[in-house]
Amino acid sequence: MGNHTVTHSVILGTGSYVPERVLSNADLEKMVDTSDQWIRERTGISERRVARADEATSHLSLHAANHALEAAGVEPGEIDLIIVTTLTPDTMCPAAACWLQSHIGAHRAAAFDLNAACTGFVYGLQAADAYIRSGMMKKVLLVSADVMTRMTNWEDRGTCVLWGDGAGAVVVGASENGRRGVVDSRVYSDGNGGELILVPGGGSRFAPITADDVHNKEHLLQMKGQETFKTAVRYFLGACKETLERSGLTLDDIDVFIPHQANLRIIEAVAKRLELSMDKVVITINKYGNMSAATIPVALDESVREGKIRSGDNVLMAAFGGGLTWGAALVEWN
Ligand code: ACO
């Protein structure tokens, strides 16, 4: 690799995409025994987006990636590596990242998927950061995208009200202006909690998946909501505190906090325990629901485009999800 002097990686550009179709709480009232009031009070969600039948994860990713590449001023041919973090790839094989590569024409890139469920963006950012800092890759396109409505059990009112579809992307490269970029990131997992958020079918556990398995909805996402809720708050807090401590920063130094958007009550509980003003917390769950891996980069992109994140700002991101997986990343904005 030669005498590379890369010390930090930075986010060169952001992009996002959500499908056009809106599914409101009023629409859900017609599908399951629920109410707009229950959904808003218990989750903070008013509406979410649903992908068209011909839109798979790589198609959502393509729109987000194009916006990020444009913002970064980077051509597809300059990309060395594409990472797509998703739990809903277009196909089991090949990876969504390979489909995206073919749509986008990034002919030089290597491409792979990373599945860390809702924590995908934090895992992906750490991976991109490590590749860039090592000098092994110069430009990484990181996309976090999920079409959660394809895994939704529309008869389970406890989960079907939560999910939405979307994609967020960043282009990661080496810092050239002295900014610290990705200051630190921490990722964790606990496989013993695997049954809390689970899609049993579609992998090698049920192979081949039978009509009975499908009838029993084994191909759809199941979640133990209450247990997940309690664990989420604890792990969120731990990841944020450790990332801050390692970075030598305090919460006063944080300008913008972007938590994974699974439930507004989880976000408020975390902000309260961190003693962080909600003014610094980015909220999108009201309009998009839980888009799994996509929630953080979509919120990041919208915040950048709305001018809420400026050069030099410290942006803390934290997520929790299936695996169990969780983590946090701190970025000094370029
Ligand atoms: N409408 C009306 N009533 C409902 C609905 C609904 N949509 N869903 C559940 N209820 C009822 C239940 O049946 C129950 O009724 P009962 O008391 O008569 O039995 C009551 O409401 C309370 O149900 P709970 O499950 O206890 O509701 P809770 O307040 O825990 O909220 C929720 C459920 C929103 C799922 C919450 O637990 C949650 O957000 N959990 C965490 C989700 C999360 O963080 N996921 C991680 C990321 S996901 C990923 O990685 C892919």
Side-chain angles (χ1 to χ4, degrees), residues 15 61-71 74 76 103-104 141 169 305:
S61 301
L62 173 64
H63 295 298
N66 277 335
H67 292 312
L69 288 167
E70 198 186 320
V74 169
H103 302 325
I104 213 163
L141 172 62
R305 284 172 198 269

Side-chain angles (χ1 to χ4, degrees), residues 89-302:
D90 303 36
T91 51
M92 286 296 289
C93 178
C98 295
W99 292 122
L100 174 61
Q101 177 190 23
S102 122
H103 302 325
I104 213 163
H107 55 91
R108 283 183 49 239
F112 66 84
D113 283 1
L114 187 162
N115 180 351
C118 296
T119 319
F121 184 74
V122 178
Y123 268 77
L125 190 62
Q126 184 178 77
D129 179 47
Y131 275 115
I132 300 283
R133 279 194 293 117
S134 73
M136 198 175 276
M137 303 285 180
K138 290 198 165 46
K139 298 265 185 321
V140 178
L141 172 62
L142 167 63
V143 185
S144 294
D146 271 304
V147 188
M148 294 304 287
T149 59
R150 299 276 157 75
M151 297 235 164
T152 300
N153 178 355
W154 295 107
E155 291 169 14
D156 175 11
R157 67 175 183 170
T159 58
C160 75
V161 301
L162 303 173
W163 311 115
D165 303 334
V170 293
V171 179
V172 185
S175 173
E176 287 173 1
N177 65 359
R179 288 277 179 226
R180 289 196 298 164
V182 182
V183 177
D184 194 26
S185 58
R186 303 295 293 156
V187 292
Y188 312 82
S189 57
D190 174 11
N192 292 324
E195 303 289 325
L196 285 183
I197 303 165
L198 178 70
V199 183
S204 55
R205 186 187 285 191
F206 288 83
I209 193 155
T210 64
D212 274 351
D213 296 331
V214 173
H215 178 76
N216 294 332
K217 311 241 184 294
E218 303 288 3
H219 59 304
L220 301 176
L221 195 138
Q222 309 164 359
M223 185 171 70
K224 298 193 171 96
Q226 272 193 358
E227 280 173 69
T228 305
F229 192 109
K230 285 180 210 149
T231 318
V233 174
R234 198 170 73 241
Y235 287 167
F236 251 113
L237 289 170
C240 290
K241 283 182 179 163
E242 194 176 342
T243 305
L244 284 171
E245 271 166 30
R246 283 167 46 100
S247 309
L249 298 182
T250 68
L251 276 158
D252 289 340
D253 300 314
I254 299 303
D255 300 291
V256 178
F257 178 46
I258 306 183
H260 170 51
Q261 314 274 315
N263 188 317
L264 184 60
R265 288 187 296 138
I266 295 179
I267 296 171
E268 287 172 345
V270 169
K272 192 174 168 196
R273 287 187 208 181
L274 289 173
E275 295 179 19
L276 190 68
S277 158
M278 282 302 283
D279 295 344
K280 291 185 176 181
V281 184
V282 181
I283 303 292
T284 62
I285 189 166
N286 53 323
K287 51 184 181 173
Y288 300 142
N290 182 349
M291 302 179 288
S292 187
T295 67
I296 291 180
V298 168
L300 180 68
D301 180 51
E302 292 194 351

